[in-house]
Amino acid sequence: MGLFSSLMGNAGAVSPEELQKNYGQLLINGEEIELGFKLIRDTFIFTNRRLILIDVQGLTGSKTEYLSVAYKSISKFSVETAGTFDLEAELKIWISSETMPSIKKKFNKSVNVYEVQNVLAHHVLG
């Protein structure tokens, strides 16, 4: 992921092996990491059971929130692809019956947003 994309808050893909090494202790038996992305300090992970959002807080980064979202609680989602002059694509996720998306993430062009959409569709609609 490029420095410019990082500074703009866009997510880039992270290997499942690296995510397993750093966050494997969050997983339950039988849970596997399928896809993951990293913002400047935050990470979000798609597993075969849930979406895990890791929010590093504060200036020192000593406080971290781990938010688990069961796929069954996702009522809808959208993926907006990057245009010709855009540097990013955007993912929006609505939880339960909320009218505004609870989760918004931006991706740099190195991320295949169709892959992200496919993983979500597989778990939310499957």
Side-chain angles (χ1 to χ4, degrees):
M1 173 169 58
L3 178 61
F4 181 71
S5 289
S6 293
L7 293 174
M8 294 302 292
N10 297 341
V14 179
S15 75
E17 296 79 23
E18 182 179 341
L19 293 168
Q20 179 69 38
K21 182 179 137 198
N22 294 331
Y23 303 108
Q25 70 272 17
L26 297 174
L27 305 178
I28 63 171
N29 287 338
E31 187 173 20
E32 297 176 12
I33 294 172
E34 296 181 347
L35 208 61
F37 301 94
K38 183 154 180 73
L39 291 155
I40 296 171
R41 296 190 312 169
D42 299 341
T43 304
F44 55 107
I45 301 169
F46 294 93
T47 77
N48 59 332
R49 304 230 174 160
R50 61 187 160 147
L51 174 60
I52 303 171
L53 300 156
I54 300 147
D55 180 15
V56 178
Q57 303 171 355
L59 292 174
T60 63
S62 59
K63 184 176 177 184
T64 304
E65 176 186 24
Y66 300 93
L67 174 66
S68 292
V69 179
Y71 291 121
K72 66 182 179 181
S73 68
I74 296 174
S75 59
K76 60 184 174 179
F77 60 91
S78 72
V79 177
E80 182 179 308
T81 61
T84 306
F85 298 105
D86 287 339
L87 295 175
E88 60 199 37
E90 187 173 26
L91 167 68
K92 295 177 186 173
I93 298 174
W94 286 260
I95 306 297
S96 298
S97 60
E98 294 179 335
T99 57
M100 300 297 290
S102 305
I103 300 165
K104 292 183 186 180
K105 297 294 179 185
K106 293 187 179 189
F107 301 90
N108 63 33
K109 278 197 169 189
S110 71
V111 173
N112 180 349
V113 293
Y114 297 106
E115 186 178 6
V116 174
Q117 187 277 337
N118 192 344
V119 170
L120 268 172
H122 173 75
H123 291 295
V124 174
L125 306 174

